[in-house]
């Protein structure tokens, strides 16, 4: 239980007593922090400092897991209730600072009646005993069922389908995972392994992160896996998690990671976390994912044989680049997603140019040709249109990838390669382990360039039409085809 001074404890008890005779609180309602794209995601009034997530896996990936999630937080404003994001599980009990609390569920919020009116600045320990159900629709995010177990894919708004949380990247926190599974299975999670304890026919694995993490980047893998360890630059531990049967087959891909880490460090500086590796899961998600320190990849990317080697390499670098851009420096709102995907696509393209002879300029010219159409379909990079209900993955559109890498190309053309490279290094160093938004990036770019770039960024980030490309006045963008639908 968090330390409470005697005076504060007495005040809370007095407030709780007064509440017994106070008027009944209004009916519980879901809240949000007002994200432009996900207005009900996240919750106001508190800051999460750490999560401790205990999971019990019974051996079947369709069965609910027994779970206990403990959240250490601090109130940032007076609260009569605490809203957590949570769905797809049964809540059995909730404690707040050691006292049993009433709770209700509304939409995708778990709403907790606090023991009295809580002032700002109060430490909180919230313990939720619940289940975590992996049997939902496969394409809705959260738990991903694999051929031999489970993994997580929580982007953009699916962390709360696994555990109660303040499920928004603006509230990063430290994580501890304690996962119990049958002894024949291997469990791996974000961060470093700090314990493995066998009891009977089951084993409990413990992992902790050394750096704060957004809920959408949490990762737990449970399955018949092999952990392959090697060393990266500066002695960095590299651990890859692969299906045991594919260990030798995947080695030609796995051994590339240390060199890719060295290449990224030459671009933007030291790798920002305690370790890195790839998690190869025998499942079909339709995407790869930059879960922090342990990027998730579909097995078929490496084993189908239908993808050229340079393409697989560039996808690996894309997820690796996210460790700097999106994981270490996380977006403040989901409208800042272009900073994640634009940068990952930029370094993916740069790597393909240097290692496979795929010209960056040709790729950017092709993106410029398509850019007006992408903006018409999904909005400009920093002002994306909201995804359709039930189709939240549609936020990840072409304008967020090469359409946003095109902004970085234009910026380098505008301020020169030297200033651009200084900006990139300064960006990840200045905002390491924190959140930043579009205004932070454009302001820093102006300072590095030594001139006001507001007009430049207004067009490139917010305009419905793609501005002329600096240095390439002959580049043109195709006019998007009219749909025939009324405006």
């Amino acid at each position: 239980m968090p330390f409470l001074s005697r005076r504060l404890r007495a005040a809370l008890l007095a407030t709780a007593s007064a509440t017994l005779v106070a008027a009944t609180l209004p009916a519980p309602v879901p809240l949000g922090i007002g994200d432009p794209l996900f207005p009900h995601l996240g919750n106001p009034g508190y800051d999460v400092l750490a999560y401790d997530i205990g999971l019990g896996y019974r051996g079947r990936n369709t069965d609910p897991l027994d779970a206990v999630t403990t959240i250490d937080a601090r109130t940032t404003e007076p609260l009569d209730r605490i809203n957590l994001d949570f769905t797809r599980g049964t809540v059995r009990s909730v404690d707040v600072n050691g006292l049993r609390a009433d709770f209700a569920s509304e939409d995708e919020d778990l709403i907790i009646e606090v023991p009295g009116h809580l002032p700002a600045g109060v430490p909180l320990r919230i313990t939720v005993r619940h289940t975590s159900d992996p049997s939902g629709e496969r394409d809705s995010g959260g738990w991903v069922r694999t051929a031999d177990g489970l993994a997580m894919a929580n982007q953009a708004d699916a962390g709360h389908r696994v555990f109660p949380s303040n499920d928004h990247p603006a509230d990063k926190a430290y994580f501890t995972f304690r996962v119990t599974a049958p002894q024949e299975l291997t469990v791996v999670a974000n961060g470093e392994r700090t314990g493995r304890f066998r009891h009977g026919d089951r084993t409990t694995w413990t992992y902790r992160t050394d750096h704060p993490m957004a809920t959408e980047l949490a990762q737990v893998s449970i399955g018949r896996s092999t952990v392959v360890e090697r060393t990266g630059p500066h002695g960095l531990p590299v651990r890859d998690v692969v299906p045991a049967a594919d260990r030798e087959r995947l080695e030609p891909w796995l051994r590339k990671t240390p060199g890719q880490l060295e290449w990224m460090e030459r671009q933007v500086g030291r790798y920002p976390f305690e370790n890195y590796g790839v998690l190869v899961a025998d499942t079909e998600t339709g995407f790869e994912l930059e879960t922090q320190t342990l990027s998730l990849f579909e097995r078929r990317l490496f084993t189908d044989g239908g993808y050229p080697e340079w393409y697989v390499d560039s996808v690996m670098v894309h997820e690796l680049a996210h460790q700097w851009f999106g994981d270490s420096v996380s977006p403040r709102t989901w409208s800042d997603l272009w900073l994640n995907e634009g940068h990952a696509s930029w370094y993916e393209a740069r790597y393909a140019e240097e290692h496979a002879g795929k010209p960056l300029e040709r790729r950017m010219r092709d993106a410029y040709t398509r850019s007006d159409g992408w903006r018409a379909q999904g909005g400009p990079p920093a002002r994306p249109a909201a995804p359709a209900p039930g189709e939240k993955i549609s936020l990840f559109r072409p304008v967020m990838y090469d359409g946003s890498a095109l902004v970085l190309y234009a910026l380098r053309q505008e301020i020169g390669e030297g200033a651009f490279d200084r900006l990139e290094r300064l960006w990840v160093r200045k905002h390491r382990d924190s959140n930043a938004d579009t205004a932070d990036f454009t302001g820093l770019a102006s300072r590095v360039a030594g001139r006001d770039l507001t007009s430049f960024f207004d067009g490139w980030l917010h305009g419905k039409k793609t501005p002329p490309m600096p240095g390439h006045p002959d580049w043109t963008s195709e006019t998007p085809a009219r749909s025939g639908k009324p405006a």
Side-chain angles (χ1 to χ4, degrees):
M1 178 175 176
F3 173 76
L4 295 176
S5 70
R6 184 176 299 173
R7 180 177 298 175
L8 180 56
R9 188 184 299 273
L12 292 179
L13 290 174
T15 305
S17 299
T19 304
L20 294 176
V21 296
T24 303
L25 291 171
V29 295
L31 299 176
I33 61 171
D35 187 283
L37 299 179
F38 298 96
H40 287 155
L41 203 60
N43 297 284
Y46 61 91
D47 174 34
V48 176
L49 307 176
Y51 294 93
D52 189 307
I53 300 171
L55 298 166
Y57 179 70
R58 303 172 188 174
R60 285 166 44 97
N61 64 6
T62 55
D63 291 343
L65 288 75
D66 294 317
V68 179
T69 296
T70 299
I71 301 172
D72 286 320
R74 184 173 292 272
T75 59
T76 57
E77 60 186 64
L79 287 177
D80 293 312
R81 287 184 173 129
I82 301 168
N83 279 49
L84 298 175
D85 299 302
F86 184 58
T87 188
R88 202 175 289 170
T90 300
V91 178
R92 292 169 172 155
S93 68
V94 178
D95 291 352
V96 178
N97 287 345
L99 300 176
R100 187 58 55 92
D102 291 333
F103 59 89
S105 295
E106 188 68 28
D107 195 17
E108 295 191 356
D109 273 22
L110 171 63
I111 304 166
I112 303 166
E113 300 286 355
V114 300
H117 178 81
L118 297 178
V122 174
L124 297 172
R125 173 161 289 180
I126 307 164
T127 301
V128 184
R129 293 170 178 83
H130 62 98
T131 62
S132 183
D133 192 347
S135 64
E137 296 179 11
R138 292 180 65 92
D139 60 353
S140 59
W143 284 118
V144 174
R145 297 195 298 277
T146 66
D148 58 358
L150 293 171
M152 286 187 196
N154 295 334
Q155 198 178 85
D157 68 329
H160 67 282
R161 296 172 187 170
V162 177
F163 55 92
S165 61
N166 199 23
D167 192 12
H168 192 281
D171 194 0
K172 299 169 71 166
Y174 293 89
F175 278 73
T176 299
F177 297 95
R178 308 174 195 276
V179 185
T180 301
Q183 64 178 354
E184 67 270 17
L185 302 181
T186 298
V187 176
V188 185
N190 311 92
E192 297 177 310
R193 195 182 82 195
T194 58
R196 183 174 64 180
F197 174 68
R198 181 172 172 180
H199 38 100
D201 61 352
R202 296 172 69 77
T203 302
T204 298
W205 307 69
T206 303
Y207 291 83
R208 289 193 177 95
T209 65
D210 288 349
H211 299 263
M213 179 170 70
T215 50
E216 50 121 356
L217 301 173
Q219 183 58 267
V220 172
S221 165
I222 306 170
R224 299 180 185 277
S225 305
T226 295
V227 179
V228 183
E229 298 180 340
R230 65 190 82 223
T231 302
H234 319 292
L236 178 76
V238 176
R239 47 105 195 236
D240 299 313
V241 183
V242 302
D246 293 314
R247 165 66 183 89
E248 296 302 323
R249 185 179 184 183
L250 292 172
E251 175 58 21
W253 300 107
L254 304 181
R255 65 183 177 219
K256 291 172 179 280
T257 299
Q260 293 168 349
L261 279 158
E262 290 176 357
W263 184 84
M264 274 301 303
E265 287 196 345
R266 288 198 298 272
Q267 313 312 308
V268 294
R270 290 284 286 263
Y271 176 74
F273 298 122
E274 59 269 31
N275 54 20
Y276 184 65
V278 302
L279 165 60
V280 180
D282 190 358
T283 188
E284 293 187 9
T285 59
F287 56 82
E288 326 306 325
L289 188 61
E290 65 273 16
T291 41
Q292 190 163 306
T293 72
L294 190 62
S295 294
L296 173 67
F297 293 87
E298 296 174 289
R299 174 182 178 272
R300 64 178 181 175
L301 177 71
F302 304 105
T303 61
D304 275 9
Y307 304 105
E309 182 177 4
W310 72 266
Y311 174 79
V312 178
D313 288 346
S314 66
V315 173
M316 293 176 72
V317 170
H318 180 106
E319 304 308 332
L320 172 59
H322 270 308
Q323 303 298 312
W324 285 263
F325 300 95
D327 293 12
S328 180
V329 185
S330 298
R332 188 164 284 124
T333 75
W334 279 108
S335 296
D336 300 308
L337 179 62
W338 79 273
L339 287 165
N340 299 19
E341 299 300 346
H343 275 103
S345 299
W346 171 255
Y347 289 104
E348 165 199 330
R350 291 271 316 282
Y351 190 88
E353 179 178 56
E354 290 190 20
H355 292 81
K358 304 295 180 182
L360 174 69
E361 184 174 312
R362 181 183 301 167
R363 178 166 172 172
M364 292 297 97
R365 183 166 188 168
D366 180 66
Y368 190 90
T369 301
R370 301 166 181 261
S371 180
D372 279 356
W374 290 341
R375 290 174 182 238
Q377 294 167 3
R383 194 173 292 156
E391 299 178 8
K392 293 179 179 178
I393 199 70
S394 68
L395 176 62
F396 296 85
R397 312 171 178 113
V399 71
M400 288 297 175
Y401 293 87
D402 276 17
S404 295
L406 189 66
V407 177
L408 299 176
Y409 181 82
L411 178 60
R412 191 176 72 163
Q413 292 287 107
E414 178 74 15
I415 68 176
E417 291 189 21
F420 180 83
D421 289 345
R422 290 194 301 274
L423 168 64
E424 295 290 275
R425 288 175 170 270
L426 183 57
W427 173 253
V428 296
R429 186 169 70 245
K430 179 180 176 64
H431 297 289
R432 182 179 181 180
D433 287 339
S434 63
N435 296 86
D437 59 22
T438 298
D440 292 321
F441 186 81
T442 59
L444 185 62
S446 292
R447 289 194 292 276
V448 170
R451 57 191 172 90
D452 188 355
L453 295 172
T454 300
S455 179
F456 170 86
F457 280 119
D458 278 348
W460 278 98
L461 291 175
H462 304 290
K464 293 182 178 180
K465 296 289 186 180
T466 312
M469 176 60 71
H472 296 287
D474 57 319
W475 285 14
T476 58
S477 187
E478 295 176 348
T479 302
R482 295 181 64 86
S483 65
K485 297 179 181 179

